[in-house]
Amino acid sequence: MSEEIEWWEYDDAAEMADAVAGDIGFIIESAIDARGAAVIALAGGKTPVPVYEKLAATKLDWKRVTIVPTDERIVPLGDPLSNVTMIGKTFIPKGARVIPIVPKAVDDYKAAGRSADALLQDLHWPLDLCLLGVGADGHTASIFPGADYDEALNGPRERRALGVMPDPLPSDAPVARVSISRQGIVTARALMIAVTGAAKKKVIEDAIAAGAGSPYPIGRVLADAELPVDIHWAP
């Protein structure tokens, strides 16, 4: 487990959005200063939307920023379930390069994963930032229990992404996914989690306490993470 897991607690989601957007902006600026470019992975879902709205209002050299989703549902672009569609609507108008890791819906989710992995290999690694969400069931990115769980956690070190079929399928989005691998997540130069609600806070606390033996995917992902992890939480 990372030596440093730091919790940041806020009065409400708006205060959290301000703080997280500020931190991400600083990370992007530092990467551009150091290397002339930034590559970040952003979570889907509803929780980070206020963060992204605040971040998009920040004056940055957005043309030097590449954004990928931490995970994607295998659905057509433009579908309400598509994470990259949500992220793209916010950041493409700013000039950022937003990469769809699932450019079209396909039946073979493992092939979709191989295609996404090949695409991501061309980016600069490690990521400058990976921002994760956590589900009420303890999943993060699209690392869920199921037939592909062990592969997502323990696959080859050089693998960046893979196709995953959650078991059971989540009722709110009952489709196969492509997810960045654990290795791709934990090697990021900055690793952040943003969540709201008491239930998710308890899941994360329990997951961290259990470490590598955790029944929750987030616990397994964070076990033995070598870099500090910042967890941002609001009620």
Side-chain angles (χ1 to χ4, degrees):
M1 176 58 69
S2 170
E3 295 299 306
E4 300 174 63
I5 290 185
E6 190 150 6
W7 283 85
W8 303 85
E9 299 194 2
Y10 305 94
D11 291 337
D12 55 42
E15 188 188 11
M16 181 175 83
D18 274 339
V20 175
D23 286 359
I24 296 173
F26 177 76
I27 290 163
I28 290 172
E29 219 161 4
S30 301
I32 292 172
D33 286 348
R35 209 178 65 248
V39 181
I40 64 173
L42 296 181
K46 296 182 180 67
T47 302
V49 170
V51 174
Y52 301 160
E53 288 169 351
K54 297 273 187 191
L55 180 59
T58 307
K59 282 188 165 50
L60 292 166
D61 190 351
W62 285 104
K63 288 186 171 51
R64 295 179 181 269
V65 181
T66 298
I67 304 173
V68 296
T70 57
D71 61 308
E72 185 58 286
R73 286 82 174 255
I74 300 180
V75 293
L77 286 174
D79 188 289
L81 293 179
S82 167
N83 286 333
V84 85
T85 298
M86 179 271 285
I87 293 167
K89 279 178 182 164
T90 306
F91 294 105
I92 289 174
K94 307 301 293 184
R97 177 185 177 214
V98 178
I99 298 180
I101 58 173
V102 179
K104 60 179 190 287
V106 292
D107 292 334
D108 184 344
Y109 75 93
K110 293 205 168 183
R114 289 191 295 273
S115 167
D117 183 55
L119 187 68
L120 292 178
Q121 294 290 342
D122 290 339
L123 299 182
H124 182 276
W125 291 83
L127 297 166
D128 294 298
L129 163 77
C130 183
L131 174 70
L132 294 173
V134 177
D137 59 358
H139 83 269
T140 192
S142 273
I143 299 179
F144 285 90
D148 310 291
Y149 189 36
D150 186 63
E151 196 66 14
L153 293 170
N154 304 313
R157 289 180 69 84
E158 64 278 5
R159 181 179 288 151
R160 306 303 182 200
L162 71 161
V164 288
M165 181 68 78
D167 183 16
L169 283 171
S171 57
D172 58 337
V175 293
R177 324 307 182 78
V178 166
S179 183
I180 291 182
S181 65
R182 176 189 182 275
Q183 190 65 23
I185 291 168
V186 299
T187 54
R189 294 178 192 279
L191 183 53
M192 294 165 57
I193 295 170
V195 290
T196 56
K200 287 186 181 180
K201 185 180 188 208
K202 180 160 188 353
V203 164
I204 296 171
E205 287 172 338
D206 291 350
I208 289 169
S214 174
Y216 296 115
I218 186 62
R220 299 283 301 279
V221 168
L222 293 182
D224 306 318
E226 289 163 19
L227 295 170
V229 180
D230 286 311
I231 303 177
H232 299 266
W233 178 82

Short mmCIF file of all heavy atoms in Angstrom, two decimals, residues 31 60 63 77 87 127 139 143 150 163 177 209-211 221 232:
data_model
loop_
_atom_site.label_atom_id
_atom_site.label_comp_id
_atom_site.label_asym_id
_atom_site.label_seq_id
_atom_site.Cartn_x
_atom_site.Cartn_y
_atom_site.Cartn_z
N ALA A 31 3.40 19.78 -16.16
CA ALA A 31 3.80 18.86 -17.23
C ALA A 31 4.15 19.63 -18.50
O ALA A 31 5.14 19.32 -19.19
CB ALA A 31 2.70 17.85 -17.51
N LEU A 60 -5.36 27.55 -19.58
CA LEU A 60 -4.23 26.64 -19.78
C LEU A 60 -3.97 26.56 -21.28
O LEU A 60 -4.85 26.90 -22.09
CB LEU A 60 -4.56 25.24 -19.25
CG LEU A 60 -4.70 25.08 -17.73
CD1 LEU A 60 -5.35 23.74 -17.41
CD2 LEU A 60 -3.35 25.18 -17.05
N LYS A 63 -4.18 23.19 -26.08
CA LYS A 63 -3.74 22.47 -27.29
C LYS A 63 -2.59 21.51 -27.00
O LYS A 63 -2.29 20.63 -27.80
CB LYS A 63 -3.34 23.47 -28.38
CG LYS A 63 -4.55 24.19 -28.98
CD LYS A 63 -4.17 25.07 -30.15
CE LYS A 63 -5.41 25.61 -30.86
NZ LYS A 63 -6.38 26.24 -29.96
N LEU A 77 -20.10 6.30 -30.08
CA LEU A 77 -19.83 7.67 -29.69
C LEU A 77 -21.14 8.47 -29.73
O LEU A 77 -21.96 8.27 -30.61
CB LEU A 77 -18.81 8.31 -30.64
CG LEU A 77 -17.37 7.85 -30.48
CD1 LEU A 77 -16.50 8.45 -31.57
CD2 LEU A 77 -16.82 8.21 -29.11
N ILE A 87 -16.71 13.73 -21.63
CA ILE A 87 -15.44 14.46 -21.44
C ILE A 87 -15.17 15.38 -22.64
O ILE A 87 -14.77 16.53 -22.49
CB ILE A 87 -14.29 13.45 -21.23
CG1 ILE A 87 -14.47 12.71 -19.89
CG2 ILE A 87 -12.93 14.14 -21.28
CD1 ILE A 87 -13.59 11.48 -19.73
N LEU A 127 1.33 8.35 -17.28
CA LEU A 127 0.39 9.45 -17.32
C LEU A 127 0.82 10.55 -16.34
O LEU A 127 1.37 10.25 -15.27
CB LEU A 127 -1.01 8.97 -16.91
CG LEU A 127 -1.67 7.92 -17.81
CD1 LEU A 127 -2.88 7.30 -17.09
CD2 LEU A 127 -2.10 8.54 -19.14
N HIS A 139 -15.85 -0.70 -7.26
CA HIS A 139 -15.09 -0.77 -8.52
C HIS A 139 -14.47 0.59 -8.82
O HIS A 139 -14.93 1.63 -8.33
CB HIS A 139 -15.99 -1.23 -9.68
CG HIS A 139 -16.80 -0.13 -10.31
ND1 HIS A 139 -18.07 0.20 -9.87
CD2 HIS A 139 -16.52 0.72 -11.33
CE1 HIS A 139 -18.54 1.19 -10.60
NE2 HIS A 139 -17.61 1.55 -11.48
N ILE A 143 -12.62 -1.66 -13.55
CA ILE A 143 -12.05 -2.88 -12.95
C ILE A 143 -13.10 -3.44 -11.99
O ILE A 143 -13.29 -2.95 -10.88
CB ILE A 143 -10.70 -2.57 -12.28
CG1 ILE A 143 -9.72 -2.05 -13.34
CG2 ILE A 143 -10.16 -3.82 -11.59
CD1 ILE A 143 -8.36 -1.68 -12.81
N ASP A 150 -8.71 -10.63 -12.84
CA ASP A 150 -7.29 -10.89 -12.56
C ASP A 150 -6.40 -10.28 -13.63
O ASP A 150 -5.33 -9.74 -13.34
CB ASP A 150 -7.04 -12.40 -12.45
CG ASP A 150 -5.61 -12.69 -12.02
OD1 ASP A 150 -5.24 -12.29 -10.89
OD2 ASP A 150 -4.84 -13.25 -12.82
N GLY A 163 -10.08 -5.19 -22.53
CA GLY A 163 -11.52 -5.34 -22.52
C GLY A 163 -11.96 -6.07 -21.26
O GLY A 163 -11.29 -7.02 -20.83
N ARG A 177 -16.90 -3.26 -21.22
CA ARG A 177 -16.11 -2.03 -21.12
C ARG A 177 -14.69 -2.26 -21.64
O ARG A 177 -14.25 -3.38 -21.79
CB ARG A 177 -15.94 -1.57 -19.65
CG ARG A 177 -17.07 -1.74 -18.62
CD ARG A 177 -18.30 -1.22 -18.98
NE ARG A 177 -19.44 -1.27 -18.12
CZ ARG A 177 -19.71 -0.49 -17.09
NH1 ARG A 177 -18.83 0.36 -16.63
NH2 ARG A 177 -20.87 -0.56 -16.48
N ALA A 209 -7.92 -0.48 4.25
CA ALA A 209 -7.54 -1.23 5.45
C ALA A 209 -7.24 -2.69 5.12
O ALA A 209 -6.32 -3.29 5.69
CB ALA A 209 -8.65 -1.13 6.49
N ALA A 210 -7.98 -3.27 4.17
CA ALA A 210 -7.80 -4.69 3.83
C ALA A 210 -6.63 -4.91 2.87
O ALA A 210 -6.12 -6.03 2.75
CB ALA A 210 -9.08 -5.24 3.22
N GLY A 211 -6.21 -3.85 2.16
CA GLY A 211 -5.04 -3.95 1.29
C GLY A 211 -5.20 -4.97 0.18
O GLY A 211 -6.27 -5.08 -0.43
N VAL A 221 -6.52 -2.30 -6.39
CA VAL A 221 -5.80 -1.36 -7.27
C VAL A 221 -4.78 -0.56 -6.46
O VAL A 221 -3.64 -0.37 -6.88
CB VAL A 221 -6.78 -0.42 -8.01
CG1 VAL A 221 -6.05 0.74 -8.68
CG2 VAL A 221 -7.57 -1.20 -9.06
N HIS A 232 -10.09 12.87 -2.53
CA HIS A 232 -10.92 14.06 -2.29
C HIS A 232 -12.35 13.59 -2.04
O HIS A 232 -12.91 12.85 -2.85
CB HIS A 232 -10.87 14.99 -3.50
CG HIS A 232 -9.49 15.50 -3.79
ND1 HIS A 232 -9.02 16.69 -3.31
CD2 HIS A 232 -8.47 14.97 -4.52
CE1 HIS A 232 -7.76 16.88 -3.72
NE2 HIS A 232 -7.42 15.85 -4.47
#
